[in-house]
Amino acid sequence: MSTTVGSEQKTGKSSGFRLFRPILAGATLRERLVACLGALAGITLTGLICGWFFGQGPDIPLIVAPMGASAVLLFAVPASPLAQPWPIIGGNTISAFMGVLAAHFIPDPVMAIGVGVSLAIAAMSLTRSLHPPGGAAALTALIGGPAVTSAGFMFPLFPVCVNSVILVSLGVAFHKISRRNYPHVPIPAPVNTHGTADLPAPLRVGFKPEDVDAALVALHETLDIDRADLDRLLRQVELHALVRTQGNLTCGEAMSRDVVTIGLDGSAEGARKLLITHNIRTLPVVDETGRLAGTLGLRELMLQGEVGIAQVMSEAQTAKPDEPVVALASSLTDGRTHAVVVVDGDRRVLGIITQTDLLATLTRLLSAKAFAPSQPIPA
């Protein structure tokens, strides 16, 4: 606590200003502006489309209030598990139905609103459609006034379900145009590419999924993040910490500079000869201008057949010479990539870093740390 207070005194900021700091990790001004634009388009068009198809009038609710809350999740935090299509559509619709059900069977309005919301939470949890605005949808079904009461059991379908479907459809289109990932699909975890029962290399060391589960239990918290995304985030944190603490050595310093390459017009037999003669596993392929086009290995050459090198080469993993060499650890331990090609801004080959190069570099860094000046140097 004293460290925090001292820091605030140095910067001249009051602790009260903490209340106004962003609470979303990774939230930038640009992301917030995009969310505002998305909500503007989504809510406006949802109302217009419903009005176009179903007409307008005091007895016809074109759009229900929970759609505003759904829009916040859909456009501001599209990666949240609570903001995915099924939670929005299913959560709102099921919750509205629970609200109507409570109103139908419980005459006391105070008791009905409590039962309606609690039933909505239970139903959303059971159907894996948990969506916070669903609680508002249940309340709307209970206290929405004559227009909602007259709709009865049709209210969950129109306007709630129809509103939700239209809003999600607009959200998918908007995120596609703005090049955002929605519906959110977590990046697959590393897999063993060798057809054996071993875990992939990145998962054999460090924390394991059960460690994450144990930490969540110890914290007594439910986090609004996909389980796979949380695992990927923590591994990325490990990588950034490694780069920060051991990132002084660059790719340009560690790379091999005398790179064996082959042209796009080369033959499969010539490529095999180069790989075997130089005892290498990755052969960069360059075009007629000398720019990197891809890479070849024995795996690709096994599929060569009658087609040319250009048809079977793989996409090259590349790095810039000023990047920290330890940042290549995730690429070179994915079970498939054996070398990263170091290129300049025009994709001209400057060097190559193999798995052996990375291992030698990490060994050097660990040795340097072990025998740092603060430690006694053995005689």
Side-chain angles (χ1 to χ4, degrees), residues 118-202:
S118 64
L119 284 177
I121 295 174
M124 287 189 291
S125 299
L126 290 172
T127 57
R128 300 180 64 84
S129 61
L130 194 63
H131 186 60
L139 276 180
T140 304
L142 287 155
I143 60 173
V148 174
T149 304
S150 62
F153 283 96
M154 287 300 295
F155 175 72
L157 297 179
F158 180 80
V160 176
C161 183
V162 173
N163 283 173
S164 300
V165 170
I166 294 174
L167 186 64
V168 166
S169 300
L170 293 170
V172 171
F174 178 83
H175 287 308
K176 186 173 183 179
I177 293 172
S178 60
R179 298 182 179 180
R180 299 167 105 195
N181 177 21
Y182 187 85
H184 180 64
V185 179
I187 295 177
V191 296
N192 187 325
T193 59
H194 305 296
T196 63
D198 291 318
L199 287 172

Side-chain angles (χ1 to χ4, degrees), residues 1 6 54 67 73 107 133 142 269 276 332 353 375:
M1 180 65 70
F54 300 101
M67 292 304 110
L73 290 170
L142 287 155
E269 183 57 35
I276 294 171
L332 290 174
I353 296 178
Q375 302 292 329

Side-chain angles (χ1 to χ4, degrees), residues 7-313:
S7 174
E8 288 170 353
Q9 289 174 344
K10 288 180 182 180
T11 57
K13 293 182 180 179
S14 169
S15 59
F17 284 102
R18 290 182 183 178
L19 298 175
F20 303 100
R21 294 178 183 174
I23 60 173
L24 292 176
T28 62
L29 177 59
R30 180 185 178 279
E31 289 293 312
R32 299 307 97 200
L33 292 176
V34 170
C36 293
L37 181 61
L40 171 64
I43 292 296
T44 302
L45 289 175
T46 298
L48 287 174
I49 292 171
C50 288
W52 177 271
F53 282 101
F54 300 101
Q56 302 184 32
D59 57 335
I60 303 177
L62 296 180
I63 189 167
V64 289
M67 292 304 110
S70 294
V72 173
L73 290 170
L74 175 60
F75 296 105
V77 282
S80 168
L82 307 177
Q84 302 313 297
W86 170 239
I88 294 178
I89 298 171
N92 281 328
T93 304
I94 292 169
S95 297
F97 179 76
M98 292 297 107
V100 172
L101 202 65
H104 185 75
F105 288 104
I106 302 176
D108 181 4
V110 175
M111 181 63 69
I113 59 177
V115 171
V117 173
S118 64
L119 284 177
I121 295 174
M124 287 189 291
S125 299
L126 290 172
T127 57
R128 300 180 64 84
S129 61
L130 194 63
H131 186 60
L139 276 180
T140 304
L142 287 155
I143 60 173
V148 174
T149 304
S150 62
F153 283 96
M154 287 300 295
F155 175 72
L157 297 179
F158 180 80
V160 176
C161 183
V162 173
N163 283 173
S164 300
V165 170
I166 294 174
L167 186 64
V168 166
S169 300
L170 293 170
V172 171
F174 178 83
H175 287 308
K176 186 173 183 179
I177 293 172
S178 60
R179 298 182 179 180
R180 299 167 105 195
N181 177 21
Y182 187 85
H184 180 64
V185 179
I187 295 177
V191 296
N192 187 325
T193 59
H194 305 296
T196 63
D198 291 318
L199 287 172
L203 301 184
R204 293 178 206 161
V205 295
F207 67 86
K208 292 180 168 52
E210 52 265 32
D211 297 326
V212 178
D213 293 333
L216 291 172
V217 171
L219 289 174
H220 302 289
E221 294 281 357
T222 300
L223 302 181
D224 182 14
I225 181 172
D226 184 90
R227 177 65 182 70
D229 285 338
L230 179 58
D231 188 275
R232 184 167 62 95
L233 173 64
L234 293 176
R235 295 191 185 281
Q236 194 66 29
V237 169
E238 281 189 329
L239 177 60
H240 280 280
L242 178 64
V243 171
R244 176 176 54 81
T245 57
Q246 308 291 344
N248 294 328
L249 195 64
T250 66
C251 292
E253 294 172 298
M255 67 186 183
S256 301
R257 300 172 184 273
D258 186 12
V259 184
V260 180
T261 64
I262 191 170
L264 277 172
D265 56 352
S267 66
E269 183 57 35
R272 290 190 192 94
K273 185 175 180 180
L274 287 172
L275 288 167
I276 294 171
T277 301
H278 294 278
N279 193 26
I280 56 179
R281 303 181 69 179
T282 300
L283 189 62
V285 181
V286 295
D287 61 19
E288 60 277 3
T289 65
R291 292 179 173 85
L292 181 66
T295 56
L296 273 179
L298 291 177
R299 177 180 58 240
E300 288 84 5
L301 292 173
M302 290 290 291
L303 306 174
Q304 208 270 344
E306 298 299 324
V307 298
I309 286 178
Q311 281 69 50
V312 295
M313 66 181 181

Side-chain angles (χ1 to χ4, degrees), residues 3 162 284 330:
T3 302
V162 173
S330 58

